[in-house]
Amino acid sequence: MTAVQYFWRHPLAEQVREEGRIQERQEMTLRVLEWRGIPVSDAVRERVLACEDLDRLEVWAQRAVHATDAAELFAGE
């Protein structure tokens, strides 16, 4: 049992969890746009999928809820 508990505190486990959070946020941002019927260009998709900053992805996800165009995700940047 000790090995299992240790694994979750291991830096590699935290890295895996962080990567999962990033991927989830990237996908959610794109999904919201798609659910709302907003076309997502290849350039927008590539930029969202290339971003690894959770805070920035959170802002983009929030913007996706109100955007009328996918490019609005990046307004002011």
Side-chain angles (χ1 to χ4, degrees):
M1 195 70 152
T2 303
V4 172
Q5 291 174 356
Y6 172 74
F7 175 76
W8 293 111
R9 291 183 292 215
H10 193 276
L12 179 59
E14 179 54 36
Q15 179 183 350
V16 169
R17 285 191 295 273
E18 182 76 7
E19 289 171 3
R21 286 189 287 268
I22 290 168
Q23 183 179 3
E24 184 272 336
R25 198 75 44 88
Q26 292 166 334
E27 291 172 357
M28 179 57 71
T29 301
L30 296 172
R31 219 175 299 130
V32 168
L33 292 170
E34 290 168 1
W35 288 338
R36 297 189 60 232
I38 297 173
V40 178
S41 68
D42 290 340
V44 169
R45 182 176 306 281
E46 289 173 14
R47 185 167 175 186
V48 170
L49 294 176
C51 182
E52 295 184 350
D53 181 335
L54 277 173
D55 292 333
R56 176 168 285 153
L57 288 166
E58 178 68 24
V59 169
W60 291 352
Q62 290 174 4
R63 289 178 183 171
V65 172
H66 302 289
T68 56
D69 182 88
E72 290 178 29
L73 296 181
F74 318 120
E77 294 183 16

